[in-house]
Amino acid sequence: MRAFEYVSPTTKEQAVALLSSTWGETEILAGGTDLLALLKDDIVRPRRVVNIKEIAELRGISFSMPAGLRIGATVTLQELLDHPDIARHYPALVQAARGVTSPQIRNMGTVGGDLCQRPRCWYFRSGFGLLARDETGRSLVLEGDNRYHAILGNEGPAYFVNPSSLAPALIAYGARLRIFGPRGTREIPVERFFRIPKSEAEREYDLQPNEIVTEILVPPPSAGMVSATYEVRQREALDWPLATASVALVLEGQRVRSARVVLGHVAPIPWPSPEAERALLGKTVSEEVAQAAANAAVQRARSLGKNEYKIQLARVAVRRAIQQAVGGGARR
Amino acid sequence: MAERNAMEMAEYKWPEPERRRLIGKRISRVDGPEKVTGRAKYTYDVNRPGMLAGKVLRCPHAHARIVRLDTSAAEKMPGVKAVLPLKKVGDEILWAGDEVVAVAAVDEPTAEDAIRAIVVEYEKLPHFVLDTDPKAAGERVRPTAEQVEGDPDAAFREAEVVVEGLYGASLITHCCLEAHGAVVEWEGENNVLVHVSTQAVSGIAGQMAGPLGVPAGNIRVKQDHIGGGFGSKFGPDSWGIAAAQLSKMAGGRPVKIMLERDAELMVAGARPSYYGRVRVGAKRDGTVIAWESETWGTGGIPPTSPLPLPYVLRIPNQRKRHVAIVTNSGPARAWRAPLHPQACLLTMAALDDLAAALRMDPLDLLLKNIELAGERADVYREELQIAAELMEWKKRWHPRGDPSPGPVKRGLGVSIHTWPGRGHACRCDLTIHPDGSVEVKLGSQDLGTGTRTAIAIVVADTLGIPLEAVRVRIGDNQYPPAGGSGGSTTIGGVSSAARRAALDALDQLFARIAPLLNASPDQLEAWEGRIRVKEDPSRSIAWEQACARLDGMPLTVRGENPGPGELTTAGAAGVQMADVSVDIETGIVRINKMVAVQDCGLIINMKTAESQCYGAMIMGISYALYEEKIMDPATGRMLNPNMEFYKLAGLADIGELVVHMMTGEKYDRRGVIGLGEPPVISPGAAISNAVANAIGVRVPFLPLTPERVLEALAKKGGSHARV
Ligand SMILES: Cc1cc2nc3c(=O)[nH]c(=O)nc-3n(C[C@H](O)[C@H](O)[C@H](O)COP(=O)(O)OP(=O)(O)OC[C@H]3O[C@@H](n4cnc5c(N)ncnc54)[C@H](O)[C@@H]3O)c2cc1C
Ligand code: SF4
């Protein structure tokens, strides 16, 4: 790890003032479960690290009706799991957080950090850049081993998968992010926060280098809503999911009045599937309907050579998430 | 006096069962409390005064030539105390991660800065890291001579059933949780102190003497505890030598080089991959008569050797061909039971496929052919029977392909294995102090297997004193030399040497005490803290009082393992069964239960013996389901040199593990036999067979990843291949 200056401001204004307006010069530190690895692997080389855990207003969870849920960016995954209102009203979020099966990481890792963590692409993590090109410009992902890479949104030049398990659930619930920067506060749907970078100079999310995610706002659960997250993960022990799906369905009687289906770990961004949603709308969820939605979700998926199996896994994740939501998800 | 003459040699025996207070019981490790409280010091924990941090610059390319090497900037950096090129301009590098320059600096960040300040230019050369297809390997194949026994052609013609299958296991690493490394310092011009993570405390000095130019006798080697070796830690390694040289350059200051996790996985050892096409011919009743195999695989640059095939069962007619593939995947090293897990998989999977083709229970097929196991056939028969009971095999086994509805299919698999486990050369010094305390010293090491505890048990039981009264000192090459801990040789070596030393010491003590008890030495015995007359136990003296008769002079006796005999022999046999569930929609395999039934002769400590089996099954589950050294065709580098994508089984992944150790007169009679390796051999085969039994099709290669399971299902076709 290279030397850097460490600062620990107590207000978001101070924090923003300490952040550079150029990527690479400074980094935000929350739980550090990702940032420390990036520093040690020499993937980021900031001259200053800005700790945001001392900023009181980034903490805390509150829930009320009809306001909904507010999660401070530095709330840990464990705090999220321990919160009774979240457990009751947002099962897809809880199931997603539970998938991070290491108590150490759940105790240190934050919700803001989960959304802003960097991709685990093994080429990115060994210094070949977000777009994983060698010195001649060819894509190492396409030439090399892409067993864990994207099956959707993989037209290039980015092929990594977004690593956040919380993001698909938050998007399914229609959550928004509050972001603070030099020009004050702005709000943006989680869905629009993520983007597929087109060049090495871009990040995979809509944040300026001197902006901080301060809180996550989740709308109150609508009447008749059922939701779930299903993840396909090889090991029970700490392991990255191979595919996840978060769904939130609003049922009217037995019929689906509205549907959100969002896949995780399959594309450079959390991947909402309007195709799957359309397959569900107006239907009574049966095994066949769930299957049709699952098929629709991966209709545009394509293998990069070594990750064809992930198409099947994504399909299963979607179908099982739908079935889980209808069968066992909390219903209001 | 008590010099045992040739006639009395037969006296070196293990005590009869009723005379064993400790041997064979479940005894917790003597160093357990130290370990769980963190007081146990591993090489990683050694921090010497004035110690420097050593780091190694590694080549990022899988195949390259060094065209420029400039260390001047690093040398000039403040805090950098020594810079040592390990390669020179013109040298060819044959795997990514190979060592190029070593540096020592006042702390780790400074050493890392120095590494970054070194300029190396490489001419990249073509690399090759693929191993699954010898036809794709072009020039890089190294065929071995065909081996033939009997008349395979005639036997295959005679066979009523012939099955052919493809099997294999990917390249994996040792993944020692304590990385390789050493802390080395010079004491004056000519003496070197080495703390090193090693499986061979007594063997290190001899390997360092040449490169360092000092007599081996001047090199002191120490190690209290080690965090795993599995066959990969027998030498000082280039980085250990480099640490010594850096220390010398830095005026003798201690230099610590412990490998980073990525280096540990890239260069500190790998188990070669082996793949093979196997044909087996049999009679319709299951009698196996013919074997043919064509194998290939890689262990990096040195060609892999042929496997011991067919494994355990000596099928009378065989033809075997092997082709090594030479790759830039990095160095291979002995991995816990070298060649056996792969040979076991190729054989047991082929036999399992044969059973499926015959619509026979594979357990019956093994029993049918068990005489082919030779000498140990009866042991296997007995073990198969016990394992079957523990697994409820007969009740739960179904023909290939679980017919039950739903995506989760369950299956059972079986495998058998063998391992020599002969005791190594070993000497120890046993001292009885006049205060009654006892010390045993030997240049051995405890790989975490419980060697310390085993030695203490043998000595305490022989002397009739409590375990706590024995102090075992190992991990120092100033103690009598003991063999390296490889090949499951340690338990046989140390327990034989310790038993002999203790018996001899006892004889000497008896000679002193006998007159006091009005008896002759051979009428005495040591029992529960007293020395007493066998025929008249009321005539006795407490151990401490007896030792006080040593006239203030400690009594020291040398014990030596003379090789196989009454105390230790070789040839362990084991059986394992696996019960798995496979989700055929995701290809994810879960272990429900595993059963290990194992013989290793006389068991010194039942608890640590069972622990070996538990640990081995966990390691086996890891390589069966998760582990792979993933080599990148594009860069030639290992893609997963970390603990997140180099996957090891966690507690939640291992299911229920059941261990049954074979005991009784028949096993005791054989003396002590090594156990470290045998139980790691069968898990891959047993699990692969269980998966085939569950899903109705063979998944050829380990690890059994979702990708491979789904691919096998897709090839098989049918309704549940795709959802
Ligand atoms: C082996 C392993 C397995 C894992 N499995 C999963 C999994 O299955 N699913 C999953 O979702 N996650 C998984 N994680 C990731 C884990 O959840 C994240 O590392 C964690 O949530 C990150 O939070 P943090 O607070 O530690 O972030 P940090 O490491 O502090 O920060 C991560 C990144 O986000 C930036 N950042 C942090 N907070 C903010 C903020 N408020 N505003 C702007 N930028 C910010 C930092 O600058 C940094 O770039 C896994 C991690 C490991 C190591
Ligand atoms: S192994 Fe355990 S203690 Fe060590 S870094 Fe990982 S979580 Fe922490």
Side-chain angles (χ1 to χ4, degrees):
Chain A
M1 205 190 297
R2 298 178 195 234
F4 52 78
E5 178 198 355
Y6 177 80
V7 290
S8 202
T10 51
T11 68
K12 59 183 196 282
E13 290 76 12
Q14 288 169 353
V16 163
L18 287 163
L19 287 167
S20 162
S21 56
T22 310
W23 281 121
E25 295 191 342
T26 55
E27 290 287 343
I28 294 168
L29 173 76
T33 59
D34 186 22
L35 187 69
L36 258 79
L38 292 162
L39 287 167
K40 287 186 176 176
D41 291 344
D42 212 29
I43 306 305
V44 297
R45 303 162 185 180
R47 74 187 154 68
R48 176 187 292 153
V49 167
V50 182
N51 173 33
I52 58 167
K53 285 192 301 299
E54 296 302 319
I55 305 174
E57 62 183 296
L58 300 193
R59 300 189 201 132
I61 300 175
S62 60
F63 175 80
S64 64
M65 292 299 280
L69 178 65
R70 174 212 167 265
I71 307 169
T74 58
V75 164
T76 66
L77 299 180
Q78 194 56 46
E79 287 167 345
L80 187 84
L81 283 170
D82 291 341
H83 201 276
D85 290 320
I86 301 183
R88 191 153 149 242
H89 300 295
Y90 303 98
L93 190 55
V94 170
Q95 289 156 10
R98 216 178 270 142
V100 183
T101 49
S102 147
Q104 291 94 325
I105 288 181
R106 288 199 307 265
N107 284 332
M108 287 304 291
T110 65
V111 176
D114 187 85
L115 297 174
C116 298
Q117 62 175 308
R118 312 299 312 276
R120 312 304 298 194
C121 164
W122 44 32
Y123 296 106
F124 171 60
R125 295 275 166 166
S126 42
F128 289 102
L130 204 48
L131 303 181
R133 291 185 172 125
D134 72 2
E135 64 278 6
T136 65
R138 66 184 183 148
S139 163
L140 291 171
V141 179
L142 297 183
E143 303 266 328
D145 196 315
N146 47 47
R147 69 182 71 183
Y148 297 130
H149 284 82
I151 50 165
L152 283 157
N154 60 2
E155 293 76 29
Y159 302 101
F160 60 82
V161 297
N162 179 279
S164 173
S165 298
L166 300 191
L170 290 169
I171 293 169
Y173 288 126
R176 301 170 70 78
L177 292 185
R178 204 165 269 166
I179 293 166
F180 184 76
R183 285 192 295 277
T185 300
R186 65 184 175 102
E187 242 181 67
I188 158 177
V190 177
E191 184 169 355
R192 291 231 309 275
F193 180 64
F194 297 98
R195 59 188 187 199
I196 303 181
K198 294 286 169 218
S199 80
E200 206 53 66
E202 291 175 32
R203 276 231 175 168
E204 62 280 17
Y205 41 70
D206 173 12
L207 212 57
Q208 292 305 306
N210 50 4
E211 285 184 318
I212 300 173
V213 174
T214 57
E215 53 208 311
I216 297 100
L217 307 168
V218 194
S222 8
M225 185 163 91
V226 295
S227 57
T229 294
Y230 188 89
E231 67 169 45
V232 180
R233 182 159 40 93
Q234 192 189 1
R235 284 185 305 179
E236 288 294 315
L238 185 59
D239 200 1
W240 289 94
L242 295 164
T244 70
S246 293
V247 302
L249 311 177
V250 177
L251 303 180
E252 217 169 48
Q254 292 303 308
R255 280 183 198 288
V256 177
R257 183 160 56 84
S258 75
R260 289 302 314 219
V261 176
V262 189
L263 287 77
H265 303 268
V266 294
I269 53 173
W271 192 259
S273 175
E275 300 90 338
E277 292 161 5
R278 273 197 301 275
L280 291 166
L281 278 182
K283 307 267 171 49
T284 298
V285 178
S286 61
E287 167 122 35
E288 291 68 38
V289 169
Q291 187 61 58
N295 290 340
V298 295
Q299 201 183 302
R300 286 187 289 148
R302 73 168 182 129
S303 164
L304 296 175
K306 292 210 70 183
N307 60 354
E308 186 172 356
Y309 73 104
K310 284 190 67 170
I311 300 175
Q312 162 74 359
L313 300 186
R315 184 191 290 130
V316 174
V318 170
R319 199 199 68 217
R320 292 187 181 175
I322 294 169
Q323 289 174 321
Q324 190 173 310
V326 176
R331 190 164 175 180
R332 281 171 49 89
Chain B
M1 204 181 62
E3 301 257 302
R4 282 163 185 259
N5 61 36
M7 227 181 64
E8 285 167 326
M9 281 296 275
E11 288 299 300
Y12 292 111
K13 279 190 191 157
W14 291 108
E16 294 305 315
E18 66 282 0
R19 307 286 298 171
R20 299 177 204 148
R21 289 169 316 128
L22 300 168
I23 290 172
K25 303 288 181 314
R26 271 191 186 76
I27 292 169
S28 296
R29 282 157 216 261
V30 293
D31 46 11
E34 247 183 280
K35 285 190 170 177
V36 295
T37 54
R39 275 177 291 138
K41 293 290 172 244
Y42 293 71
T43 305
Y44 204 97
D45 301 318
V46 172
N47 290 313
R48 305 280 299 160
M51 190 175 80
L52 301 172
K55 290 277 167 193
V56 177
L57 171 68
R58 298 180 179 281
C59 176
H61 308 298
H63 189 194
R65 194 180 308 284
I66 299 177
V67 293
R68 186 169 158 231
L69 181 56
D70 181 356
T71 57
S72 54
E75 280 156 31
K76 289 192 205 94
M77 287 172 69
V80 174
K81 300 297 177 189
V83 177
L84 174 70
L86 303 172
K87 299 272 189 313
K88 53 188 191 311
V89 169
D91 280 357
E92 188 181 350
I93 307 264
L94 292 166
W95 59 83
D98 197 7
E99 297 81 30
V100 181
V101 183
V103 303
V106 288
D107 53 30
E108 279 197 68
T110 309
E112 282 171 12
D113 286 345
I115 290 289
R116 282 190 282 264
I118 296 167
V119 182
V120 197
E121 280 170 26
Y122 301 94
E123 175 200 349
K124 284 217 275 177
L125 302 169
H127 63 256
F128 184 80
V129 294
L130 301 178
D131 61 353
T132 46
D133 182 5
K135 284 195 273 313
E139 303 271 273
R140 290 172 168 263
V141 293
R142 305 280 180 277
T144 339
E146 179 176 285
Q147 292 169 275
V148 179
E149 265 178 50
D151 188 345
D153 294 326
F156 274 109
R157 275 195 303 273
E158 197 189 318
E160 290 160 342
V161 186
V162 175
V163 292
E164 183 174 336
L166 174 67
Y167 316 98
S170 294
L171 193 67
I172 66 172
T173 80
H174 296 67
C175 201
C176 300
L177 290 188
E178 181 197 31
H180 288 59
V183 183
V184 189
E185 61 201 82
W186 289 73
E187 294 164 332
E189 269 296 282
N190 225 3
N191 289 292
V192 185
L193 172 61
V194 183
H195 289 88
V196 57
S197 185
T198 184
Q199 295 177 242
V201 168
S202 296
I204 292 290
Q207 298 179 68
M208 292 185 85
L212 300 187
V214 291
N218 293 14
I219 302 175
R220 177 86 184 270
V221 179
K222 294 176 98 171
Q223 169 191 257
D224 280 344
H225 298 282
I226 179 174
F230 311 111
S232 68
K233 288 185 179 167
F234 287 105
D237 287 315
S238 62
W239 47 85
I241 304 282
Q245 284 160 337
L246 289 167
S247 167
K248 187 170 197 185
M249 292 163 78
R253 285 175 73 171
V255 173
K256 181 181 202 167
I257 297 184
M258 297 299 294
L259 297 191
E260 291 78 19
R261 179 53 50 190
D262 56 353
E264 175 70 18
L265 291 180
M266 284 191 290
V267 304
R271 184 180 85 178
S273 61
Y274 275 94
Y275 309 92
R277 253 175 219 297
V278 176
R279 281 208 315 147
V280 183
K283 298 283 198 189
R284 214 176 306 284
D285 68 356
T287 309
V288 182
I289 53 172
W291 170 276
E292 189 171 73
S293 57
E294 214 159 311
T295 55
W296 61 94
T298 193
I301 299 298
T304 49
S305 45
L307 292 173
L309 289 172
Y311 188 62
V312 182
L313 302 179
R314 281 201 60 141
I315 300 171
N317 305 291
Q318 354 176 325
R319 174 179 294 110
K320 301 181 287 187
R321 281 186 289 267
H322 177 71
V323 170
I325 304 179
V326 170
T327 63
N328 305 100
S329 305
R333 295 183 178 192
W335 191 104
R336 204 170 179 181
L339 308 182
H340 282 233
Q342 302 99 318
C344 182
L345 172 72
L346 264 62
T347 307
M348 299 301 149
L351 293 179
D352 190 70
D353 286 351
L354 172 68
L358 289 163
R359 307 202 63 77
M360 212 175 151
D361 179 339
L363 177 60
D364 296 336
L365 184 91
L366 281 178
L367 285 167
K368 174 108 202 150
N369 292 284
I370 206 67
E371 287 306 321
L372 296 178
E375 216 191 337
R376 220 68 71 215
D378 59 327
V379 176
Y380 286 113
R381 209 176 279 118
E382 201 177 337
E383 288 180 337
L384 282 164
Q385 172 90 37
I386 293 170
E389 277 160 28
L390 291 169
M391 190 52 108
E392 296 182 283
W393 180 282
K394 281 292 164 192
K395 186 171 123 206
R396 301 188 35 224
W397 182 82
H398 55 71
R400 200 168 262 197
D402 178 359
S404 59
V408 178
K409 307 294 182 194
R410 212 158 161 167
L412 298 181
V414 57
S415 168
I416 64 177
H417 57 259
T418 184
W419 186 256
R422 183 185 310 282
H424 59 200
C426 177
R427 295 184 175 83
C428 74
D429 278 351
L430 184 145
T431 300
I432 300 177
H433 289 281
D435 68 349
S437 64
V438 174
E439 249 183 316
V440 200
K441 292 179 181 167
L442 57 165
S444 189
Q445 50 280 321
D446 186 335
L447 297 200
T449 51
T451 302
R452 268 192 190 84
T453 314
I455 296 167
I457 288 172
V458 167
V459 170
D461 235 11
T462 307
L463 301 182
I465 57 177
L467 195 63
E468 307 76 56
V470 180
R471 178 63 204 255
V472 177
R473 298 186 193 282
I474 58 172
D476 190 329
N477 72 333
Q478 295 205 333
Y479 300 149
S485 290
S488 308
T489 55
T490 307
I491 188 71
V494 301
S495 51
S496 161
R499 172 76 176 163
R500 294 170 70 102
L503 284 172
D504 287 352
L506 207 52
D507 275 353
Q508 294 195 24
L509 194 60
F510 285 173
R512 303 262 183 121
I513 300 308
L516 229 71
L517 296 174
N518 283 325
S520 64
D522 62 338
Q523 292 174 315
L524 300 185
E525 65 178 4
W527 185 251
E528 293 190 331
R530 304 191 73 82
I531 292 176
R532 63 186 195 184
V533 179
K534 281 183 223 164
E535 303 301 317
D536 178 9
S538 67
R539 278 151 62 203
S540 72
I541 179 171
W543 173 261
E544 286 77 13
Q545 285 169 343
C547 296
R549 301 277 158 171
L550 289 171
D551 303 330
M553 266 300 275
L555 168 68
T556 294
V557 171
R558 168 70 51 98
E560 180 171 355
N561 174 27
E566 290 273 357
L567 294 177
T568 173
T569 58
V575 166
Q576 289 189 13
M577 289 180 174
D579 165 3
V580 306
S581 288
V582 187
D583 184 331
I584 56 165
E585 294 179 356
T586 62
I588 291 172
V589 180
R590 300 245 180 272
I591 307 295
N592 303 314
K593 178 174 173 176
M594 284 195 68
V595 169
V597 179
Q598 183 67 49
D599 111 82
C600 61
L602 175 78
I603 290 165
I604 298 292
N605 183 356
M606 184 55 81
K607 189 171 196 174
T608 49
E610 288 171 346
S611 284
Q612 279 306 296
C613 296
Y614 290 125
M617 281 193 280
I618 295 169
M619 198 171 189
I621 291 168
S622 269
Y623 77 69
L625 300 185
Y626 308 121
E627 287 181 68
E628 182 182 353
K629 183 176 186 185
I630 301 174
M631 298 306 304
D632 181 22
T635 61
R637 305 203 324 198
M638 179 182 182
L639 286 168
N640 56 341
N642 52 53
M643 299 303 285
E644 68 181 291
F645 291 112
Y646 191 84
K647 301 183 185 193
L648 297 182
L651 275 183
D653 297 308
I654 57 179
E656 182 195 355
L657 305 180
V658 177
V659 174
H660 178 96
M661 301 301 302
M662 300 303 283
T663 51
E665 209 273 320
K666 177 168 135 196
Y667 296 93
D668 293 357
R669 177 152 37 86
R670 304 185 56 216
V672 177
I673 302 171
L675 175 68
E677 281 151 305
V680 88
I681 298 169
S682 268
I687 293 169
S688 177
N689 289 346
V691 167
N693 181 247
I695 67 176
V697 60
R698 172 70 51 185
V699 183
F701 300 155
L702 306 183
L704 302 161
T705 58
E707 178 185 3
R708 285 172 170 167
V709 173
L710 290 175
E711 197 185 320
L713 284 164
K715 276 201 184 127
K716 174 191 167 206
S719 55
H720 48 225
R722 278 274 187 277
V723 183

